[in-house]
Structure formats: structure tokens, C-alpha cells
Amino acid sequence: MLTNFKHLVGLFYLFVGMSFAQTSMADGESKLNNGEIDEAKKIFQNHENKPKAIEFLGDIASFNKNWDEAIKHYKNLVEKDPENAMYNFKLGGAMGMKAYYGSKFQAALLLGDIKKYLKKAAELDPQHTETRRALVELYMQIPSFIGGSRAIAESYASDLDRLNEVDALLADAYIYKFEKYRELAANKYNEAIRAAVRKPNLLTRNYLKYELGEAAAIYEIQLEEGKRLLTEYIQNYGYKDLKSPAWAYLRLAQIERAQNNRQAALDHIERSLAIDPEFEKALAEKQKIQRL
């Protein structure tokens, strides 16, 4: 009987330990979604043997723009599961961001791997919109003599036609914008905003709202919709988003300035500077507003 009792006690503690681990991971994810990044990171570091924890640690490193750390985590995941489209996308994306923020020499060294992982992600998942958006920008940005190609960029943009109308229009707009066809770009951005208003379910990522709001501010199109989208972006801002709310407040200020709403523009630019007091674009925008 005593042996059976010990066995039951052992099972009890095993169950408690398993429950605690599961709760901790769930708690970490909850904290991450609530913006408690540092607290979430500590929890996930206690579960680094789990792929989901490793992925979250990579996401946190990406959010903090610690690209080397993000690459380390995503590379670990790809080595464990090389046929996972999301892991390949995140690894290629983190490498792309390191190349973007780093030196030209670093970019040249990383280019082959960036292409490799993003292209593999696209092959593994024919429905993956973010990978195709990234490939459109990649093939437009790199010079033709090292593999850049508008034709290839357009082929990935055309893939998006069957996946998400808003993403497809934004990809087309990016191509025109990159080649400095301002009017054509503005038309595509205008269509993208209209599509988002008509079919809000196409806004599958919060960041799309920032992209559309930014276009409204820069091209002075659909200004009221731009304000609504940027406001929603700020309200739903999280660790998956690429631009801080400081950028969204800057774009809101630009829209208000375009509408000659001086005080509203100043209010937004002050919110932007409260987040980042050294934000050069916001400081320059403040001067423009003050001249109204």
C-alpha cells in the first residue's frame, strides 16, 4: 500500500509540474500579447527546449531589432524543422532586416541566404502573403547585376492577386513607388484603401493598417480613412508590428496638417515625440506644423 501511495504522490507532482509548465507558456504568451515583453521573455527562456518558446524569443528579438539574436533563434528552428514555411520566412526576414540596417558589405554577405529562405518559404506555402510581399521588395531593392529583377518582383506580386487583394495592390504600389512613378503608385494605394474599406476582412495583419495610413498621409488620399486606420493600428499595436506608434502619430500629424488642422496636428506630433524625443522626422514635421 505504501508503495502505491508513493507512486500516486509521484504522479501528482509530475502532473503539477506539467501543469505549471503549460501555464507558464500560456502566461508568457498572454504577457507578450499585452506588451509585457521583458516579462514574457523571461518565461520563454525557461522553456527554450520548446519550438514555440524559441519562436517567441525570435519574435521578441525581432521586435527589439536584435537581428543577430533573432537569426540565432530562427536558424535553430529551421535546423529542427527545415520544411516549416513560417520558420524559413522569419529567418529570411530577420536576415533581410539585418542587411537593411547594416553595412553594404553585410548586405552582400547575407543576400544569398535571404533569397534562399524566403524563396523556400514561398515554395512551401503557396498561401503565404507576407513572404511574397517580402520577395517583391527584395527583388526591387537589389541591383540587377546581383540578381534584382522587376519581372521576378512582378511575378510574386501577381501571386498575391489570388491571395489578398489589399496585399496585391500594396505590392503593385511598392513597385511603382520604388521606380518613382508617383501618380501610378498613388492610384494603387488609393485602390488598396478602397479595397480595405470594402472588405475589412482582408486586413489580416495589423501592420497593413499602418501601411495604408502611411500612404494616405504621404499621397494625401482618403485622409479620413487614413486617420481611422492609423488610430486602429495604434490601438492594436503589438510585438508583430514593424513601426512603433511614434510613426503612426507622425502620419496622423501629417494628415491633420494636410487638412489645415494645426492643433490636432501638433497634438499628434507631441505624442510621437513623447515616445521618441529624438525622432528626426517628427521634429522636422513639428516645424512644418508650426509654420501653418
Side-chain angles (χ1 to χ4, degrees):
M1 185 177 292
L2 185 60
T3 303
N4 289 339
F5 177 74
K6 287 180 179 179
H7 178 68
L8 288 172
V9 169
L11 286 175
F12 171 77
Y13 281 112
L14 177 63
F15 174 76
V16 170
M18 289 173 63
S19 298
F20 177 75
Q22 290 169 355
T23 303
S24 293
M25 279 291 292
D27 190 44
E29 190 169 356
S30 176
K31 288 182 182 298
L32 190 58
N33 289 326
N34 289 332
E36 300 172 68
I37 306 296
D38 292 337
E39 292 82 354
K41 182 176 180 179
K42 290 174 186 175
I43 292 171
F44 296 134
Q45 284 173 332
N46 292 326
H47 299 272
E48 282 193 279
N49 60 321
K50 299 176 182 176
K52 195 64 184 175
I54 298 169
E55 185 176 5
F56 279 136
L57 288 169
D59 294 347
I60 291 169
S62 295
F63 177 79
N64 290 325
K65 295 182 170 56
N66 295 329
W67 306 118
D68 285 329
E69 185 181 339
I71 289 167
K72 179 192 76 173
H73 289 305
Y74 295 143
K75 189 174 285 187
N76 185 357
L77 290 171
V78 169
E79 287 171 357
K80 292 175 185 292
D81 187 0
E83 301 304 302
N84 187 299
M86 183 59 77
Y87 295 166
N88 279 276
F89 164 68
K90 289 187 174 184
L91 178 55
M95 289 179 167
M97 295 305 288
K98 179 179 179 178
Y100 179 80
Y101 284 104
S103 66
K104 290 182 178 179
F105 177 71
Q106 279 184 321
L109 289 176
L110 288 166
L111 182 57
D113 281 339
I114 295 167
K115 279 186 179 181
K116 170 186 169 183
Y117 292 114
L118 290 179
K119 287 172 72 175
K120 184 166 184 181
E123 290 165 6
L124 288 168
D125 185 356
Q127 307 297 316
H128 204 284
T129 57
E130 290 173 270
T131 297
R132 284 160 177 78
R133 286 287 308 281
L135 284 162
V136 169
E137 296 189 15
L138 176 67
Y139 277 98
M140 289 302 297
Q141 288 177 14
I142 58 179
S144 58
F145 69 89
I146 53 172
S149 167
R150 175 172 173 167
I152 295 176
E154 287 177 335
S155 73
Y156 283 114
S158 68
D159 281 352
L160 291 164
D161 289 336
R162 62 182 171 78
L163 299 176
N164 185 306
E165 184 182 357
V166 171
D167 271 305
L169 289 165
L170 286 171
D172 290 340
Y174 181 84
I175 292 170
Y176 288 132
K177 177 184 175 183
F178 189 86
E179 297 206 326
K180 296 183 168 51
Y181 297 135
R182 183 178 174 85
E183 188 174 344
L184 291 173
N187 289 339
K188 287 294 182 180
Y189 282 124
N190 197 31
E191 287 182 53
I193 295 171
R194 289 183 185 281
V197 172
R198 191 173 65 253
K199 302 175 186 176
N201 61 302
L202 294 177
L203 296 176
T204 55
R205 309 183 300 282
N206 190 44
Y207 189 67
L208 289 174
K209 295 176 182 178
Y210 175 81
E211 288 188 272
L212 296 168
E214 178 185 65
I218 291 173
Y219 294 93
E220 297 188 5
I221 53 175
Q222 307 246 14
L223 299 180
E224 291 302 319
E225 288 299 333
K227 286 195 286 188
R228 180 182 65 80
L229 289 162
L230 288 165
T231 300
E232 290 181 7
Y233 175 76
I234 293 166
Q235 291 170 345
N236 297 307
Y237 176 73
Y239 72 96
K240 295 180 181 179
D241 293 314
L242 298 175
K243 296 281 191 180
S244 87
W247 278 92
Y249 282 121
L250 166 67
R251 301 308 183 191
L252 282 166
Q254 289 173 329
I255 290 174
E256 296 291 2
R257 176 169 60 81
Q259 295 178 317
N260 290 312
N261 297 329
R262 186 177 188 274
Q263 190 55 54
L266 277 174
D267 290 344
H268 286 308
I269 212 65
E270 290 297 349
R271 290 189 182 98
S272 178
L273 290 167
I275 297 168
D276 184 357
E278 297 181 3
F279 188 8
E280 291 183 5
K281 288 185 180 294
L283 290 168
E285 179 62 28
K286 185 174 181 178
Q287 291 182 344
K288 293 178 183 178
I289 296 166
Q290 289 171 333
R291 289 197 291 267
L292 282 177

